[in-house]
Amino acid sequence: MNTDLLLPAHPRHTHAVVVGAGTMGADVATVLARGGCRVTVSDPNPAQRQAMAQRVLQGLQPLGLAQRAERVQAVASLQEVDWHDVVLVIECIPEKLDLKQALFAELVQRAPAHTVLTSNSSSFPISAIAAGLPTAERMLGLHFFMPAHLVPLVEVVHGPATDEVQASRLCQFMRGCGSVPVRVRKDKPGFLANRLQHALAREAFAMIDEGVATPEDVDAAVRFGFGFRYLAAGPVLQRDHAGLDVHCAAAATMYPSLAANTEPAQVLREQVAAGRLGMKTGAGFFEWPEERRLAERQRYDALLQQGLALLASELPPIDSD
């Protein structure tokens, strides 16, 4: 690949575009800004653009980087973007394939040949979003986890045509933003982390269905049991700590009885059918009046901040200049 077309190895003093100023787009803009990027966020909704600016400032202040919020500007449309020096685009629009495909078709026309085009989609593979478009080698999935400015992980997802060197550069770029990138070399539904999450959730909801445990006890078992240890070591390293022979023997006993459902658990489908979708509707498995919802969000974010502090020595450094 022409080295002139490669993404810079570090985000400092580069220009990136985020499409979509919702919660995810605002947090992604925060991640880019903390790495030293100049960021243009495009969104036609003036209220979202205004809220985004405040959220970016709030995300950078605890890092002592409030001044970098000035590097983030919002525009109403892609026509207003100064495209000549844009090195990276991250799409954060609603999860509708036709919208994403239309956006990428427009980006191909507007963005210079050196610009890497990425999607934060959690469900659609980059191969589907980029179907039929030229320069597919510069298109990748770049999947963040909410809240993106607090959860270090970002998945760099290859499509069939993705250039390996460009993917490596994108990983370096994200490390410069203080993120922890993982390569997902096959464009499978759910990528890497969500597949692991759903495997756990399938068993959790199946046990609730069977009356083995309550939602509260399932959460406690994860948070204060094996999930607590995951802060120190993931499931593969944990097995080396515990002994592969022990794990292999336990697996032989348990695997035949683990959930292998091909559809969501009954208890989950019932909640959705009843309109109990979680915090956004005021109720899910738990009740969420506004005061309790706000308190829970504060508790959740505070614990994530403390987790980041514990992992600080293992996270990529952020330049303060």
Side-chain angles (χ1 to χ4, degrees):
M1 187 175 193
N2 186 341
T3 56
D4 292 336
L5 301 181
L6 286 175
L7 184 70
H10 198 282
R12 193 189 305 109
H13 307 312
T14 60
H15 182 195
V17 169
V18 176
V19 185
T23 299
M24 180 60 82
D27 290 349
V28 169
T30 303
V31 171
L32 294 169
R34 81 184 177 201
C37 275
R38 177 165 64 92
V39 187
T40 302
V41 182
S42 173
D43 195 296
N45 187 323
Q48 286 211 147
R49 295 198 302 271
Q50 185 174 2
M52 180 274 301
Q54 184 61 30
R55 188 169 175 87
V56 168
L57 179 60
Q58 290 173 347
L60 291 171
Q61 279 176 332
L63 302 173
L65 298 173
Q67 73 281 3
R68 292 193 179 179
E70 298 175 359
R71 302 185 186 186
V72 181
Q73 65 167 326
V75 296
S77 72
L78 295 178
Q79 293 177 338
E80 300 176 49
V81 175
D82 180 6
W83 284 102
H84 82 279
D85 62 347
V86 174
V87 298
L88 175 67
V89 177
I90 304 176
E91 168 267 305
C92 296
I93 65 174
E95 286 289 282
K96 295 182 179 180
L97 182 58
D98 58 339
L99 294 181
K100 293 178 185 291
Q101 289 173 329
L103 173 61
F104 265 68
E106 181 177 356
L107 290 173
V108 167
Q109 298 300 315
R110 292 189 180 279
H114 66 264
T115 306
V116 175
L117 307 178
T118 70
S119 171
N120 180 55
S121 175
S122 60
S123 55
F124 298 118
I126 191 63
S127 55
I129 295 171
L133 296 177
T135 66
E137 67 277 2
R138 62 169 171 160
M139 300 175 188
L140 302 97
L142 189 62
H143 182 224
F144 295 81
F145 295 81
M146 293 183 68
H149 66 301
L150 295 180
V151 180
L153 185 71
V154 61
E155 294 177 312
V156 175
V157 187
H158 293 224
T162 296
D163 181 83
E164 287 276 347
V165 179
Q166 199 69 276
S168 295
R169 278 296 184 98
L170 184 55
C171 288
Q172 289 179 273
F173 190 95
M174 295 314 304
R175 276 191 288 270
C177 292
S179 297
V180 177
V182 294
R183 295 275 284 273
V184 185
R185 290 174 169 81
K186 291 188 177 181
D187 206 359
K188 293 176 71 68
F191 314 133
L192 171 56
N194 272 339
R195 292 181 72 87
L196 295 171
Q197 281 194 116
H198 276 268
L200 168 60
R202 178 166 65 177
E203 185 63 31
F205 289 124
M207 287 196 290
I208 295 171
D209 263 353
E210 293 176 35
V212 174
T214 64
E216 293 86 350
D217 284 341
V218 166
D219 282 354
V222 175
R223 291 189 61 218
F224 302 107
F226 65 88
F228 178 76
R229 299 186 308 192
Y230 281 166
L231 193 65
V236 180
L237 180 55
Q238 279 289 349
R239 300 287 75 77
D240 266 6
H241 275 273
L244 300 182
D245 55 334
V246 175
H247 174 74
C248 192
T253 300
M254 282 188 287
Y255 279 16
S257 66
L258 289 178
N261 308 353
T262 57
E263 62 178 21
Q266 180 179 344
V267 67
L268 185 59
R269 287 184 279 117
E270 287 175 350
Q271 294 282 7
V272 172
R276 295 174 61 90
L277 308 182
M279 291 184 182
K280 63 184 178 182
T281 60
F285 284 99
F286 309 99
E287 302 298 323
W288 297 110
E290 185 64 7
E291 184 176 350
R292 184 185 179 195
R293 185 188 70 81
L294 292 174
E296 169 58 20
R297 288 292 193 190
Q298 291 176 352
R299 183 199 69 85
Y300 182 82
D301 284 0
L303 281 174
L304 291 180
Q305 292 278 14
Q306 292 173 42
L308 280 175
L310 289 173
L311 291 172
S313 64
E314 299 185 36
L315 297 175
I318 299 171
D319 290 345
S320 58
D321 61 344

